């Protein structure tokens, strides 16, 4: 084993022994600084011990960083030790020097911990072998030279403090300070030897600091360096950034440190019990803290007891919590701002819900009239496609406007039975037109043995597939886009549903694949600058697939195309294969074109209130088939007038209306004689579908709630529920 490695191994052991010796010495502020300095010297020695044995660049980097942690902090600790032990030097000057070196050494640590990424500290690093020992050679950069100069200067400062203190000491303590001078000189001397080149490639700093530590420990053992424990404690109490105020049992101030004198200038009048009493009364009168001179303080009181447990006095600790106070106040302000913004957002979403859903209500409502009354198969097929697309649009809007989901940042997977054939038909209807507009061939290849009915979240699966297909259509300018569905059977009554989307589009560069699923990212911006979209689709799809237990993957060749794939587990409800899904959907259409009607109510009276004539026409169209007598009005004022003239079994009342909205109209109705005697059911029929809307409407007095666009089945269910039983006539299906 190399001699230098052995020597530094011994140095590590010596440092450990020195740490234990200092640790067992009497406690004082100087001892704490010396203990910390000794510990960091050991860290420095350990780092260089590892460097001498390092044969790899990675090992060298770790060793250097360990060394500098020890070097930077041990020098700071010894500067603080010299300051405490020799406190006659100009304190403002010393404090300024300490502050400078704290900032400087932290900056050096940052540069060293990142030196492999820049040349600010080391321009280059290589290894050489000298006398059988491997040394790492560092070509210094600007900040390495800066570190050398500044460290050399720090050595001069510490040595100056030691020499000036020794010159003032006489008698027995002269020998003690002479040893301190020797201790302070060691790093200084070895640094000069290093700069003059006498030590070659060998870094003598760790060895010199070990010698310094030995000198200081000799002083501890020989001259009882820490006998002045009480003096050190007093110094700590004076320098602490807390006000310390001690009273005896008679309420007389026994001690107050510098900080407490600054907070309460009159506190140092030791014989003025009135002042002390007023200060204590002021402190205890503010149990949650107090503000003085634009500073906020918290306090604690502790009983002081002697060795026999007898109460000897009380100590008050006064802590400056100004930064925390301002931070807390800022948090409170931000919380209030967030609450106001949240209320504004809720109001905005409610209004947007109404504005967007109102025209959708008209589209879907009138489209259902076509389904009910038209006999042309081709028109009915168009109407079914409109209905499916409208419902898909509605589901997207519902997600966007669901305030509770937006606030929580969570998206729930809601599982239910769904028909795979309808899923594929919806996807085909949504994508085929986009593909045709770009002259692309769009195909769906679905394994005919895939079960007809599965159990899962149809809307999320559809959303994922549509996102992938839309993305492929966007970035494919010629050729084709295809969707493939396959499956493998499991033994637990479920299948692995395999989904893949393949295109002949622009493809993705291999080096950009890792950015593909990031939010708001558009790859290859120059080529794709005209492509619309926010860049959120793939990110959302990946998260949704993950929530369903799958993983979205991509394979791509730049300039040739891409394939996106995922696999999710779905429970089987109906194992019969889908076969040709288009034929299966046609058979289903015959059952859904004309909804089954279960009752009529020719003697029932319903009043529909809405400021939109199209919405009134939609409601009238639904009620027409039920043979219900329906009156319509365009405002809350007309509603109240109508109710005063005629008895109604049910009132369908819109919320967002000018002059008098639905809630105010309801409140007026509740004051009429009809309400007191007849008490008709009032159903909130509104476009406000934000989460929690139903509860809010029921809370203000509505009988029930139905959101727009109107679902004819749900409307019939509510009518059957709230119409008088004697006015309902059952209809055979």
């Amino acid at each position: 084993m190399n001699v230098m490695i052995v020597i530094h191994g011994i140095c590590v052991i010596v440092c450990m022994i020195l740490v234990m010796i200092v640790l067992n010495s009497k406690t004082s502020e100087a001892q704490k600084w010396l203990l910390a300095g000794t510990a960091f010297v050991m860290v420095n020695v350990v780092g260089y011990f590892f460097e001498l044995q390092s044969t790899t660049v990675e090992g060298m980097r770790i060793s250097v960083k360990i060394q500098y942690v020890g070097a930077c902090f041990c020098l700071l600790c010894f500067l603080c030790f010299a300051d405490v032990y020799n406190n006659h030097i100009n304190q403002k000057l010393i404090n300024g020097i300490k502050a400078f070196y704290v900032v400087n050494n932290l900056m050096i640590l940052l540069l060293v911990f990142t030196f492999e990424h820049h040349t600010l500290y080391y321009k280059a690093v290589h290894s050489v072998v000298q006398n059988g020992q491997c040394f790492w050679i560092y070509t210094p950069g600007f900040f390495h030279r800066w570190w050398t100069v500044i460290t050399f200067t720090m050595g001069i400062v510490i040595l100056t403090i030691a020499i000036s203190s020794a010159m003032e000491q006489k008698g027995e303590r002269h020998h003690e300070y002479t040893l301190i001078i020797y201790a302070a000189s060691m790093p200084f001397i070895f640094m000069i030897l290093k700069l003059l080149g006498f030590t070659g490639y060998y870094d003598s700093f760790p060895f010199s600091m070990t010698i310094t530590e030995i000198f200081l420990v000799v002083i501890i053992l020989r001259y009882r360096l820490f006998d002045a424990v009480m003096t050190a404690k007093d110094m700590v109490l004076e320098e602490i950034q807390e006000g310390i105020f001690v009273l005896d049992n008679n309420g007389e101030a026994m001690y107050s440190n510098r900080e407490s004198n600054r907070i309460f200038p009159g506190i140092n009048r030791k014989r003025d019990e009135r002042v002390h009493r007023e200060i204590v009364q002021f402190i205890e009168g503010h149990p949650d803290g107090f503000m003085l001179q634009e500073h906020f303080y918290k306090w604690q009181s502790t009983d002081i007891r002697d060795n026999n447990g007898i109460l000897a006095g009380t100590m008050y600790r006064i802590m400056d919590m100004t930064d925390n106070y301002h931070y807390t106040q800022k948090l409170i302000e931000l919380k209030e701002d967030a609450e106001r913004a949240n209320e504004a957002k809720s109001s905005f979403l409610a209004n947007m819900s109404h504005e967007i859903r109102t025209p959708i209500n008209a589209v879907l409502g009138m489209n259902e009239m076509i389904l009910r009354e038209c006999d042309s198969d081709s028109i009915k097929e168009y109407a079914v496609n409109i209905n499916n697309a409208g419902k898909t649009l509605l589901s997207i809007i519902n997600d966007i406007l669901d305030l509770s989901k937006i606030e929580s940042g969570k998206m729930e997977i809601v599982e239910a039975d769904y028909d795979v054939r309808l899923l594929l038909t919806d996807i085909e209807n949504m994508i085929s037109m986009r593909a045709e507009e770009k002259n692309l061939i769009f195909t769906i290849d679905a394994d005919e043995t895939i079960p007809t009915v599965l159990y899962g979240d149809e809307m999320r699966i559809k959303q994922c597939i549509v996102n992938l297909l839309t993305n492929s259509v966007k970035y494919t300018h010629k050729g084709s886009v295809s969707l493939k569905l396959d499956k493998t059977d499991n033994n637990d009554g479920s299948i692995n549903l395999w989904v893949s989307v393949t295109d002949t589009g622009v493809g993705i560069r291999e080096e950009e694949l890792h950015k593909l699923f990031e939010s708001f990212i558009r790859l290859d911006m120059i080529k794709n600058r005209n492509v619309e979209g926010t860049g959120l689709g793939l990110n959302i799809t990946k998260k949704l697939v993950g929530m369903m237990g799958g993983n979205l993957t991509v394979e791509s060749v730049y300039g040739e195309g891409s394939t996106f794939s995922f696999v999710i587990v779905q429970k089987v409800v109906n194992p019969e294969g889908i076969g040709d899904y288009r034929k299966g959907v046609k058979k289903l259409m015959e059952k859904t074109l004309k909804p089954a009607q279960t009752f009529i109510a020719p003697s029932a009276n319903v009043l529909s209130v809405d400021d939109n004539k199209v919405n009134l026409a939609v409601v009238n169209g639904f009620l027409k088939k039920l043979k219900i007598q329906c009156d319509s009005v365009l405002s809350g004022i007309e509603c109240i007038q109508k109710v005063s003239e005629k008895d109604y079994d049910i009132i369908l009342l819109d919320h967002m209306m000018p002059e008098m909205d639905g809630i105010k109209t309801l409140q007026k109705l509740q004051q009429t004689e009809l309400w007191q005697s007849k008490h008709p059911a009032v159903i909130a029929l509104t476009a406000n579908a934000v989460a929690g809307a139903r509860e809010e409407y029921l809370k203000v007095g509505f009988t029930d709630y139905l959101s727009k666009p109107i679902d004819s089945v749900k409307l019939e269910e509510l009518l059957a529920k709230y119409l008088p039983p004697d006015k309902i006539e059952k209809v055979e299906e």
Side-chain angles (χ1 to χ4, degrees), residues 197-213:
F198 286 102
T199 60
Y201 298 128
Y202 174 71
D203 185 359
S204 59
F205 180 81
F207 183 76
S208 67
M209 292 304 298
T210 305
I211 296 176
T212 296
E213 280 298 314

Side-chain angles (χ1 to χ4, degrees), residues 183-196:
S185 300
M186 287 299 108
F188 190 79
I189 293 171
F190 276 86
M191 188 176 292
I192 293 175
L193 293 175
K194 174 69 175 177
L195 292 175
L196 294 176

Side-chain angles (χ1 to χ4, degrees), residues 566-580:
F566 65 86
V567 184
I568 54 175
V569 177
Q570 300 285 277
K571 294 179 182 178
V572 176
V573 178
N574 182 356
E576 181 184 351
I578 60 173
D580 185 340

Side-chain angles (χ1 to χ4, degrees), residues 432-446:
S432 58
M433 189 176 296
R434 297 181 188 180
E436 287 174 10
E437 289 174 356
K438 298 185 69 174
N439 294 319
L440 300 176
I441 299 171
F442 173 55
T443 59
I444 296 179
D445 179 13

Side-chain angles (χ1 to χ4, degrees), residues 506-521:
V506 296
I508 306 160
R509 299 179 194 272
E510 185 175 353
E511 62 270 22
E512 292 186 324
L513 279 173
H514 69 282
K515 299 188 294 184
L516 183 62
F517 299 112
E518 295 180 16
S519 299
F520 304 107
I521 292 294

Side-chain angles (χ1 to χ4, degrees), residues 138-164:
Y138 309 92
T139 304
F142 172 80
F143 282 98
H144 183 276
R145 299 183 188 281
W146 168 264
W147 163 254
T148 303
V149 172
I150 292 301
T151 304
F152 191 84
T153 306
M154 181 185 283
I156 294 175
V157 171
I158 295 174
L159 188 59
T160 301
I161 295 174
I163 293 173
S164 63

Side-chain angles (χ1 to χ4, degrees), residues 332-343:
I332 292 173
E333 292 176 7
L334 290 174
K335 177 177 177 290
E336 292 174 349
D337 290 343
E339 289 174 348
R340 285 192 290 269
N342 187 49
E343 291 175 2

